[in-house]
Amino acid sequence: MTITSENDIAEAVLRVAAKQPNGIASFHRLRNEIPTLITLSADDRAPSTTRNGEPMWHQIMRNIKSHHETEGNYIDSGYLEHVPRVGYKITASGRNKIGI
């Protein structure tokens, strides 16, 4: 199997955030909704090797913030903003990316 890419997870984050009146997708909401938007592999659902008790895809979701200075990252590209201790907020560029 394979692990879903960070950008595939970030794309799902955009879609969840776009549905919220304030454009913010909380981590709680993302954990509930992302599995309904993309097919997560067994590797995605496997326990994280660094975070006890959580699946790998949760770590990938948080890596969007961790890798915010990496070229191609959705924060670096201006599609998302990190909302500390809450989740992510979609930007106007993010809405344009998904055609909203």
PDB file of all heavy atoms in Angstrom, residues 41-77:
ATOM      1  N   SER A  41      -5.723   4.656   2.653  1.00  0.00           N
ATOM      2  CA  SER A  41      -5.183   3.295   2.563  1.00  0.00           C
ATOM      3  C   SER A  41      -4.988   2.700   3.959  1.00  0.00           C
ATOM      4  O   SER A  41      -5.071   3.408   4.978  1.00  0.00           O
ATOM      5  CB  SER A  41      -3.840   3.326   1.836  1.00  0.00           C
ATOM      6  OG  SER A  41      -2.851   3.946   2.653  1.00  0.00           O
ATOM      7  N   ALA A  42      -4.694   1.428   3.991  1.00  0.00           N
ATOM      8  CA  ALA A  42      -4.377   0.774   5.257  1.00  0.00           C
ATOM      9  C   ALA A  42      -3.151   1.427   5.890  1.00  0.00           C
ATOM     10  O   ALA A  42      -3.081   1.577   7.118  1.00  0.00           O
ATOM     11  CB  ALA A  42      -4.144  -0.719   5.041  1.00  0.00           C
ATOM     12  N   ASP A  43      -2.186   1.854   5.066  1.00  0.00           N
ATOM     13  CA  ASP A  43      -1.003   2.533   5.591  1.00  0.00           C
ATOM     14  C   ASP A  43      -1.366   3.881   6.203  1.00  0.00           C
ATOM     15  O   ASP A  43      -0.782   4.291   7.204  1.00  0.00           O
ATOM     16  CB  ASP A  43       0.048   2.731   4.492  1.00  0.00           C
ATOM     17  CG  ASP A  43       0.708   1.432   4.072  1.00  0.00           C
ATOM     18  OD1 ASP A  43       0.671   0.455   4.853  1.00  0.00           O
ATOM     19  OD2 ASP A  43       1.257   1.388   2.961  1.00  0.00           O
ATOM     20  N   ASP A  44      -2.324   4.582   5.602  1.00  0.00           N
ATOM     21  CA  ASP A  44      -2.788   5.857   6.162  1.00  0.00           C
ATOM     22  C   ASP A  44      -3.426   5.649   7.531  1.00  0.00           C
ATOM     23  O   ASP A  44      -3.273   6.479   8.427  1.00  0.00           O
ATOM     24  CB  ASP A  44      -3.846   6.507   5.268  1.00  0.00           C
ATOM     25  CG  ASP A  44      -3.318   6.986   3.940  1.00  0.00           C
ATOM     26  OD1 ASP A  44      -2.159   7.437   3.881  1.00  0.00           O
ATOM     27  OD2 ASP A  44      -4.076   6.912   2.950  1.00  0.00           O
ATOM     28  N   ARG A  45      -4.131   4.545   7.671  1.00  0.00           N
ATOM     29  CA  ARG A  45      -4.852   4.261   8.907  1.00  0.00           C
ATOM     30  C   ARG A  45      -3.990   3.553   9.962  1.00  0.00           C
ATOM     31  O   ARG A  45      -4.397   3.422  11.112  1.00  0.00           O
ATOM     32  CB  ARG A  45      -6.088   3.428   8.606  1.00  0.00           C
ATOM     33  CG  ARG A  45      -7.097   4.184   7.761  1.00  0.00           C
ATOM     34  CD  ARG A  45      -8.290   3.308   7.415  1.00  0.00           C
ATOM     35  NE  ARG A  45      -9.214   3.961   6.527  1.00  0.00           N
ATOM     36  CZ  ARG A  45     -10.205   4.767   6.910  1.00  0.00           C
ATOM     37  NH1 ARG A  45     -10.371   5.025   8.172  1.00  0.00           N
ATOM     38  NH2 ARG A  45     -11.005   5.306   6.025  1.00  0.00           N
ATOM     39  N   ALA A  46      -2.796   3.141   9.553  1.00  0.00           N
ATOM     40  CA  ALA A  46      -1.891   2.452  10.486  1.00  0.00           C
ATOM     41  C   ALA A  46      -1.461   3.403  11.596  1.00  0.00           C
ATOM     42  O   ALA A  46      -1.405   4.622  11.396  1.00  0.00           O
ATOM     43  CB  ALA A  46      -0.661   1.946   9.736  1.00  0.00           C
ATOM     44  N   PRO A  47      -1.137   2.861  12.769  1.00  0.00           N
ATOM     45  CA  PRO A  47      -0.694   3.719  13.871  1.00  0.00           C
ATOM     46  C   PRO A  47       0.574   4.485  13.507  1.00  0.00           C
ATOM     47  O   PRO A  47       1.487   3.947  12.885  1.00  0.00           O
ATOM     48  CB  PRO A  47      -0.420   2.735  15.010  1.00  0.00           C
ATOM     49  CG  PRO A  47      -1.162   1.493  14.649  1.00  0.00           C
ATOM     50  CD  PRO A  47      -1.202   1.462  13.150  1.00  0.00           C
ATOM     51  N   SER A  48       0.601   5.735  13.918  1.00  0.00           N
ATOM     52  CA  SER A  48       1.781   6.568  13.715  1.00  0.00           C
ATOM     53  C   SER A  48       2.953   5.989  14.497  1.00  0.00           C
ATOM     54  O   SER A  48       2.779   5.489  15.608  1.00  0.00           O
ATOM     55  CB  SER A  48       1.501   7.993  14.197  1.00  0.00           C
ATOM     56  OG  SER A  48       2.684   8.750  14.249  1.00  0.00           O
ATOM     57  N   THR A  49       4.129   6.077  13.916  1.00  0.00           N
ATOM     58  CA  THR A  49       5.328   5.588  14.609  1.00  0.00           C
ATOM     59  C   THR A  49       5.841   6.612  15.613  1.00  0.00           C
ATOM     60  O   THR A  49       6.640   6.280  16.480  1.00  0.00           O
ATOM     61  CB  THR A  49       6.440   5.263  13.594  1.00  0.00           C
ATOM     62  OG1 THR A  49       6.705   6.423  12.812  1.00  0.00           O
ATOM     63  CG2 THR A  49       6.032   4.123  12.690  1.00  0.00           C
ATOM     64  N   THR A  50       5.382   7.861  15.519  1.00  0.00           N
ATOM     65  CA  THR A  50       5.858   8.904  16.434  1.00  0.00           C
ATOM     66  C   THR A  50       4.759   9.450  17.343  1.00  0.00           C
ATOM     67  O   THR A  50       5.065  10.102  18.326  1.00  0.00           O
ATOM     68  CB  THR A  50       6.477  10.083  15.655  1.00  0.00           C
ATOM     69  OG1 THR A  50       5.503  10.618  14.763  1.00  0.00           O
ATOM     70  CG2 THR A  50       7.701   9.629  14.871  1.00  0.00           C
ATOM     71  N   ARG A  51       3.512   9.208  17.013  1.00  0.00           N
ATOM     72  CA  ARG A  51       2.393   9.700  17.819  1.00  0.00           C
ATOM     73  C   ARG A  51       1.532   8.518  18.243  1.00  0.00           C
ATOM     74  O   ARG A  51       0.715   8.028  17.469  1.00  0.00           O
ATOM     75  CB  ARG A  51       1.537  10.683  17.021  1.00  0.00           C
ATOM     76  CG  ARG A  51       2.170  12.021  16.796  1.00  0.00           C
ATOM     77  CD  ARG A  51       2.108  12.782  18.118  1.00  0.00           C
ATOM     78  NE  ARG A  51       2.516  14.151  17.967  1.00  0.00           N
ATOM     79  CZ  ARG A  51       1.749  15.187  18.234  1.00  0.00           C
ATOM     80  NH1 ARG A  51       0.522  15.016  18.646  1.00  0.00           N
ATOM     81  NH2 ARG A  51       2.217  16.395  18.114  1.00  0.00           N
ATOM     82  N   ASN A  52       1.715   8.065  19.452  1.00  0.00           N
ATOM     83  CA  ASN A  52       1.006   6.899  19.961  1.00  0.00           C
ATOM     84  C   ASN A  52      -0.509   7.125  19.934  1.00  0.00           C
ATOM     85  O   ASN A  52      -0.986   8.154  20.386  1.00  0.00           O
ATOM     86  CB  ASN A  52       1.467   6.587  21.384  1.00  0.00           C
ATOM     87  CG  ASN A  52       0.988   5.239  21.858  1.00  0.00           C
ATOM     88  OD1 ASN A  52       0.668   4.364  21.061  1.00  0.00           O
ATOM     89  ND2 ASN A  52       0.936   5.054  23.161  1.00  0.00           N
ATOM     90  N   GLY A  53      -1.217   6.167  19.373  1.00  0.00           N
ATOM     91  CA  GLY A  53      -2.666   6.205  19.403  1.00  0.00           C
ATOM     92  C   GLY A  53      -3.336   6.984  18.296  1.00  0.00           C
ATOM     93  O   GLY A  53      -4.544   7.180  18.344  1.00  0.00           O
ATOM     94  N   GLU A  54      -2.597   7.443  17.325  1.00  0.00           N
ATOM     95  CA  GLU A  54      -3.245   8.142  16.222  1.00  0.00           C
ATOM     96  C   GLU A  54      -2.785   7.565  14.892  1.00  0.00           C
ATOM     97  O   GLU A  54      -1.672   7.067  14.771  1.00  0.00           O
ATOM     98  CB  GLU A  54      -3.001   9.646  16.278  1.00  0.00           C
ATOM     99  CG  GLU A  54      -1.718  10.125  15.712  1.00  0.00           C
ATOM    100  CD  GLU A  54      -1.638  11.651  15.696  1.00  0.00           C
ATOM    101  OE1 GLU A  54      -2.350  12.332  16.426  1.00  0.00           O
ATOM    102  OE2 GLU A  54      -0.814  12.150  14.913  1.00  0.00           O
ATOM    103  N   PRO A  55      -3.655   7.601  13.884  1.00  0.00           N
ATOM    104  CA  PRO A  55      -3.271   7.072  12.578  1.00  0.00           C
ATOM    105  C   PRO A  55      -2.311   8.008  11.850  1.00  0.00           C
ATOM    106  O   PRO A  55      -2.262   9.212  12.114  1.00  0.00           O
ATOM    107  CB  PRO A  55      -4.596   6.952  11.834  1.00  0.00           C
ATOM    108  CG  PRO A  55      -5.529   7.880  12.519  1.00  0.00           C
ATOM    109  CD  PRO A  55      -5.043   8.026  13.928  1.00  0.00           C
ATOM    110  N   MET A  56      -1.576   7.454  10.922  1.00  0.00           N
ATOM    111  CA  MET A  56      -0.586   8.220  10.153  1.00  0.00           C
ATOM    112  C   MET A  56      -1.194   9.424   9.452  1.00  0.00           C
ATOM    113  O   MET A  56      -0.580  10.479   9.380  1.00  0.00           O
ATOM    114  CB  MET A  56       0.094   7.325   9.108  1.00  0.00           C
ATOM    115  CG  MET A  56       1.186   6.431   9.656  1.00  0.00           C
ATOM    116  SD  MET A  56       2.520   7.335  10.458  1.00  0.00           S
ATOM    117  CE  MET A  56       3.132   8.326   9.106  1.00  0.00           C
ATOM    118  N   TRP A  57      -2.402   9.295   8.937  1.00  0.00           N
ATOM    119  CA  TRP A  57      -2.956  10.412   8.170  1.00  0.00           C
ATOM    120  C   TRP A  57      -3.197  11.638   9.043  1.00  0.00           C
ATOM    121  O   TRP A  57      -3.149  12.755   8.550  1.00  0.00           O
ATOM    122  CB  TRP A  57      -4.188   9.996   7.369  1.00  0.00           C
ATOM    123  CG  TRP A  57      -5.465   9.840   8.130  1.00  0.00           C
ATOM    124  CD1 TRP A  57      -5.952   8.699   8.697  1.00  0.00           C
ATOM    125  CD2 TRP A  57      -6.433  10.855   8.371  1.00  0.00           C
ATOM    126  NE1 TRP A  57      -7.161   8.946   9.286  1.00  0.00           N
ATOM    127  CE2 TRP A  57      -7.485  10.263   9.098  1.00  0.00           C
ATOM    128  CE3 TRP A  57      -6.528  12.204   8.044  1.00  0.00           C
ATOM    129  CZ2 TRP A  57      -8.603  10.969   9.510  1.00  0.00           C
ATOM    130  CZ3 TRP A  57      -7.646  12.914   8.450  1.00  0.00           C
ATOM    131  CH2 TRP A  57      -8.661  12.299   9.174  1.00  0.00           C
ATOM    132  N   HIS A  58      -3.420  11.468  10.350  1.00  0.00           N
ATOM    133  CA  HIS A  58      -3.535  12.631  11.247  1.00  0.00           C
ATOM    134  C   HIS A  58      -2.201  13.383  11.283  1.00  0.00           C
ATOM    135  O   HIS A  58      -2.180  14.619  11.271  1.00  0.00           O
ATOM    136  CB  HIS A  58      -3.898  12.201  12.666  1.00  0.00           C
ATOM    137  CG  HIS A  58      -5.292  11.750  12.830  1.00  0.00           C
ATOM    138  ND1 HIS A  58      -5.857  11.572  14.069  1.00  0.00           N
ATOM    139  CD2 HIS A  58      -6.262  11.426  11.937  1.00  0.00           C
ATOM    140  CE1 HIS A  58      -7.111  11.156  13.937  1.00  0.00           C
ATOM    141  NE2 HIS A  58      -7.365  11.051  12.644  1.00  0.00           N
ATOM    142  N   GLN A  59      -1.118  12.644  11.334  1.00  0.00           N
ATOM    143  CA  GLN A  59       0.208  13.254  11.329  1.00  0.00           C
ATOM    144  C   GLN A  59       0.446  13.997  10.009  1.00  0.00           C
ATOM    145  O   GLN A  59       0.965  15.113   9.995  1.00  0.00           O
ATOM    146  CB  GLN A  59       1.273  12.194  11.545  1.00  0.00           C
ATOM    147  CG  GLN A  59       2.675  12.745  11.628  1.00  0.00           C
ATOM    148  CD  GLN A  59       3.684  11.676  11.974  1.00  0.00           C
ATOM    149  OE1 GLN A  59       3.350  10.599  12.431  1.00  0.00           O
ATOM    150  NE2 GLN A  59       4.938  11.980  11.748  1.00  0.00           N
ATOM    151  N   ILE A  60       0.039  13.392   8.907  1.00  0.00           N
ATOM    152  CA  ILE A  60       0.192  14.033   7.595  1.00  0.00           C
ATOM    153  C   ILE A  60      -0.615  15.329   7.562  1.00  0.00           C
ATOM    154  O   ILE A  60      -0.147  16.351   7.056  1.00  0.00           O
ATOM    155  CB  ILE A  60      -0.228  13.074   6.467  1.00  0.00           C
ATOM    156  CG1 ILE A  60       0.716  11.871   6.419  1.00  0.00           C
ATOM    157  CG2 ILE A  60      -0.252  13.781   5.120  1.00  0.00           C
ATOM    158  CD1 ILE A  60       0.210  10.716   5.587  1.00  0.00           C
ATOM    159  N   MET A  61      -1.811  15.309   8.136  1.00  0.00           N
ATOM    160  CA  MET A  61      -2.654  16.501   8.180  1.00  0.00           C
ATOM    161  C   MET A  61      -1.953  17.623   8.960  1.00  0.00           C
ATOM    162  O   MET A  61      -1.945  18.770   8.536  1.00  0.00           O
ATOM    163  CB  MET A  61      -4.001  16.170   8.822  1.00  0.00           C
ATOM    164  CG  MET A  61      -4.949  17.345   8.943  1.00  0.00           C
ATOM    165  SD  MET A  61      -6.517  16.893   9.722  1.00  0.00           S
ATOM    166  CE  MET A  61      -5.991  16.388  11.356  1.00  0.00           C
ATOM    167  N   ARG A  62      -1.348  17.287  10.074  1.00  0.00           N
ATOM    168  CA  ARG A  62      -0.624  18.293  10.860  1.00  0.00           C
ATOM    169  C   ARG A  62       0.659  18.736  10.164  1.00  0.00           C
ATOM    170  O   ARG A  62       1.127  19.855  10.373  1.00  0.00           O
ATOM    171  CB  ARG A  62      -0.318  17.771  12.255  1.00  0.00           C
ATOM    172  CG  ARG A  62      -1.508  17.824  13.184  1.00  0.00           C
ATOM    173  CD  ARG A  62      -1.108  17.612  14.632  1.00  0.00           C
ATOM    174  NE  ARG A  62      -0.045  16.646  14.804  1.00  0.00           N
ATOM    175  CZ  ARG A  62      -0.199  15.323  14.779  1.00  0.00           C
ATOM    176  NH1 ARG A  62      -1.388  14.812  14.600  1.00  0.00           N
ATOM    177  NH2 ARG A  62       0.827  14.526  14.939  1.00  0.00           N
ATOM    178  N   ASN A  63       1.227  17.869   9.336  1.00  0.00           N
ATOM    179  CA  ASN A  63       2.449  18.234   8.605  1.00  0.00           C
ATOM    180  C   ASN A  63       2.224  19.386   7.629  1.00  0.00           C
ATOM    181  O   ASN A  63       3.182  20.043   7.220  1.00  0.00           O
ATOM    182  CB  ASN A  63       3.018  17.030   7.849  1.00  0.00           C
ATOM    183  CG  ASN A  63       3.751  16.074   8.744  1.00  0.00           C
ATOM    184  OD1 ASN A  63       4.031  16.369   9.901  1.00  0.00           O
ATOM    185  ND2 ASN A  63       4.047  14.903   8.221  1.00  0.00           N
ATOM    186  N   ILE A  64       0.983  19.655   7.279  1.00  0.00           N
ATOM    187  CA  ILE A  64       0.709  20.815   6.429  1.00  0.00           C
ATOM    188  C   ILE A  64       1.290  22.055   7.101  1.00  0.00           C
ATOM    189  O   ILE A  64       1.931  22.878   6.454  1.00  0.00           O
ATOM    190  CB  ILE A  64      -0.805  20.964   6.157  1.00  0.00           C
ATOM    191  CG1 ILE A  64      -1.338  19.753   5.383  1.00  0.00           C
ATOM    192  CG2 ILE A  64      -1.093  22.275   5.426  1.00  0.00           C
ATOM    193  CD1 ILE A  64      -2.856  19.651   5.363  1.00  0.00           C
ATOM    194  N   LYS A  65       1.087  22.177   8.400  1.00  0.00           N
ATOM    195  CA  LYS A  65       1.670  23.308   9.150  1.00  0.00           C
ATOM    196  C   LYS A  65       3.175  23.119   9.316  1.00  0.00           C
ATOM    197  O   LYS A  65       3.954  24.054   9.124  1.00  0.00           O
ATOM    198  CB  LYS A  65       0.982  23.436  10.510  1.00  0.00           C
ATOM    199  CG  LYS A  65       1.718  24.303  11.518  1.00  0.00           C
ATOM    200  CD  LYS A  65       1.945  25.725  11.031  1.00  0.00           C
ATOM    201  CE  LYS A  65       2.584  26.561  12.126  1.00  0.00           C
ATOM    202  NZ  LYS A  65       3.646  27.404  11.662  1.00  0.00           N
ATOM    203  N   SER A  66       3.597  21.930   9.674  1.00  0.00           N
ATOM    204  CA  SER A  66       5.023  21.672   9.923  1.00  0.00           C
ATOM    205  C   SER A  66       5.876  21.977   8.704  1.00  0.00           C
ATOM    206  O   SER A  66       7.003  22.443   8.832  1.00  0.00           O
ATOM    207  CB  SER A  66       5.240  20.212  10.337  1.00  0.00           C
ATOM    208  OG  SER A  66       4.571  19.940  11.533  1.00  0.00           O
ATOM    209  N   HIS A  67       5.344  21.740   7.529  1.00  0.00           N
ATOM    210  CA  HIS A  67       6.094  21.932   6.282  1.00  0.00           C
ATOM    211  C   HIS A  67       5.708  23.233   5.577  1.00  0.00           C
ATOM    212  O   HIS A  67       5.894  23.369   4.368  1.00  0.00           O
ATOM    213  CB  HIS A  67       5.858  20.743   5.339  1.00  0.00           C
ATOM    214  CG  HIS A  67       6.269  19.437   5.932  1.00  0.00           C
ATOM    215  ND1 HIS A  67       5.706  18.245   5.545  1.00  0.00           N
ATOM    216  CD2 HIS A  67       7.180  19.124   6.885  1.00  0.00           C
ATOM    217  CE1 HIS A  67       6.251  17.259   6.236  1.00  0.00           C
ATOM    218  NE2 HIS A  67       7.144  17.764   7.059  1.00  0.00           N
ATOM    219  N   HIS A  68       5.207  24.214   6.328  1.00  0.00           N
ATOM    220  CA  HIS A  68       4.649  25.434   5.737  1.00  0.00           C
ATOM    221  C   HIS A  68       5.636  26.262   4.918  1.00  0.00           C
ATOM    222  O   HIS A  68       5.221  27.087   4.114  1.00  0.00           O
ATOM    223  CB  HIS A  68       4.000  26.315   6.812  1.00  0.00           C
ATOM    224  CG  HIS A  68       4.966  26.982   7.726  1.00  0.00           C
ATOM    225  ND1 HIS A  68       5.516  26.340   8.824  1.00  0.00           N
ATOM    226  CD2 HIS A  68       5.486  28.221   7.715  1.00  0.00           C
ATOM    227  CE1 HIS A  68       6.334  27.168   9.435  1.00  0.00           C
ATOM    228  NE2 HIS A  68       6.332  28.330   8.787  1.00  0.00           N
ATOM    229  N   GLU A  69       6.922  26.037   5.086  1.00  0.00           N
ATOM    230  CA  GLU A  69       7.915  26.779   4.298  1.00  0.00           C
ATOM    231  C   GLU A  69       8.434  25.979   3.103  1.00  0.00           C
ATOM    232  O   GLU A  69       9.300  26.450   2.378  1.00  0.00           O
ATOM    233  CB  GLU A  69       9.071  27.222   5.186  1.00  0.00           C
ATOM    234  CG  GLU A  69       8.644  28.247   6.236  1.00  0.00           C
ATOM    235  CD  GLU A  69       9.775  28.694   7.129  1.00  0.00           C
ATOM    236  OE1 GLU A  69      10.783  27.955   7.258  1.00  0.00           O
ATOM    237  OE2 GLU A  69       9.648  29.777   7.704  1.00  0.00           O
ATOM    238  N   THR A  70       7.901  24.793   2.893  1.00  0.00           N
ATOM    239  CA  THR A  70       8.332  23.938   1.799  1.00  0.00           C
ATOM    240  C   THR A  70       7.593  24.324   0.518  1.00  0.00           C
ATOM    241  O   THR A  70       6.363  24.465   0.524  1.00  0.00           O
ATOM    242  CB  THR A  70       8.036  22.462   2.131  1.00  0.00           C
ATOM    243  OG1 THR A  70       8.691  22.118   3.347  1.00  0.00           O
ATOM    244  CG2 THR A  70       8.493  21.531   1.019  1.00  0.00           C
ATOM    245  N   GLU A  71       8.343  24.491  -0.546  1.00  0.00           N
ATOM    246  CA  GLU A  71       7.720  24.843  -1.825  1.00  0.00           C
ATOM    247  C   GLU A  71       6.677  23.799  -2.201  1.00  0.00           C
ATOM    248  O   GLU A  71       6.922  22.594  -2.106  1.00  0.00           O
ATOM    249  CB  GLU A  71       8.784  24.931  -2.918  1.00  0.00           C
ATOM    250  CG  GLU A  71       8.244  25.422  -4.240  1.00  0.00           C
ATOM    251  CD  GLU A  71       9.332  25.584  -5.287  1.00  0.00           C
ATOM    252  OE1 GLU A  71      10.513  25.724  -4.933  1.00  0.00           O
ATOM    253  OE2 GLU A  71       8.971  25.554  -6.477  1.00  0.00           O
ATOM    254  N   GLY A  72       5.510  24.264  -2.605  1.00  0.00           N
ATOM    255  CA  GLY A  72       4.424  23.366  -2.980  1.00  0.00           C
ATOM    256  C   GLY A  72       3.470  23.066  -1.846  1.00  0.00           C
ATOM    257  O   GLY A  72       2.374  22.550  -2.077  1.00  0.00           O
ATOM    258  N   ASN A  73       3.856  23.379  -0.615  1.00  0.00           N
ATOM    259  CA  ASN A  73       2.976  23.199   0.527  1.00  0.00           C
ATOM    260  C   ASN A  73       1.795  24.167   0.383  1.00  0.00           C
ATOM    261  O   ASN A  73       1.946  25.277  -0.116  1.00  0.00           O
ATOM    262  CB  ASN A  73       3.777  23.481   1.811  1.00  0.00           C
ATOM    263  CG  ASN A  73       2.908  23.544   3.038  1.00  0.00           C
ATOM    264  OD1 ASN A  73       2.274  24.563   3.296  1.00  0.00           O
ATOM    265  ND2 ASN A  73       2.894  22.474   3.802  1.00  0.00           N
ATOM    266  N   TYR A  74       0.620  23.779   0.839  1.00  0.00           N
ATOM    267  CA  TYR A  74      -0.581  24.590   0.640  1.00  0.00           C
ATOM    268  C   TYR A  74      -0.567  25.881   1.456  1.00  0.00           C
ATOM    269  O   TYR A  74      -1.246  26.837   1.076  1.00  0.00           O
ATOM    270  CB  TYR A  74      -1.832  23.763   0.924  1.00  0.00           C
ATOM    271  CG  TYR A  74      -2.300  22.982  -0.280  1.00  0.00           C
ATOM    272  CD1 TYR A  74      -1.402  22.365  -1.148  1.00  0.00           C
ATOM    273  CD2 TYR A  74      -3.637  22.848  -0.564  1.00  0.00           C
ATOM    274  CE1 TYR A  74      -1.836  21.660  -2.251  1.00  0.00           C
ATOM    275  CE2 TYR A  74      -4.083  22.142  -1.664  1.00  0.00           C
ATOM    276  CZ  TYR A  74      -3.177  21.554  -2.505  1.00  0.00           C
ATOM    277  OH  TYR A  74      -3.605  20.857  -3.606  1.00  0.00           O
ATOM    278  N   ILE A  75       0.159  25.933   2.546  1.00  0.00           N
ATOM    279  CA  ILE A  75       0.326  27.200   3.273  1.00  0.00           C
ATOM    280  C   ILE A  75       1.328  28.068   2.535  1.00  0.00           C
ATOM    281  O   ILE A  75       1.068  29.244   2.276  1.00  0.00           O
ATOM    282  CB  ILE A  75       0.750  26.960   4.739  1.00  0.00           C
ATOM    283  CG1 ILE A  75      -0.391  26.276   5.504  1.00  0.00           C
ATOM    284  CG2 ILE A  75       1.137  28.284   5.415  1.00  0.00           C
ATOM    285  CD1 ILE A  75      -0.034  25.862   6.922  1.00  0.00           C
ATOM    286  N   ASP A  76       2.458  27.497   2.145  1.00  0.00           N
ATOM    287  CA  ASP A  76       3.474  28.236   1.396  1.00  0.00           C
ATOM    288  C   ASP A  76       2.898  28.776   0.089  1.00  0.00           C
ATOM    289  O   ASP A  76       3.229  29.895  -0.330  1.00  0.00           O
ATOM    290  CB  ASP A  76       4.681  27.333   1.112  1.00  0.00           C
ATOM    291  CG  ASP A  76       5.778  28.048   0.345  1.00  0.00           C
ATOM    292  OD1 ASP A  76       6.410  28.947   0.935  1.00  0.00           O
ATOM    293  OD2 ASP A  76       5.979  27.719  -0.836  1.00  0.00           O
ATOM    294  N   SER A  77       2.012  28.033  -0.535  1.00  0.00           N
ATOM    295  CA  SER A  77       1.408  28.441  -1.805  1.00  0.00           C
ATOM    296  C   SER A  77       0.277  29.453  -1.623  1.00  0.00           C
ATOM    297  O   SER A  77      -0.250  29.966  -2.609  1.00  0.00           O
ATOM    298  CB  SER A  77       0.872  27.217  -2.549  1.00  0.00           C
ATOM    299  OG  SER A  77       1.935  26.342  -2.878  1.00  0.00           O
TER     300      SER A  77
END
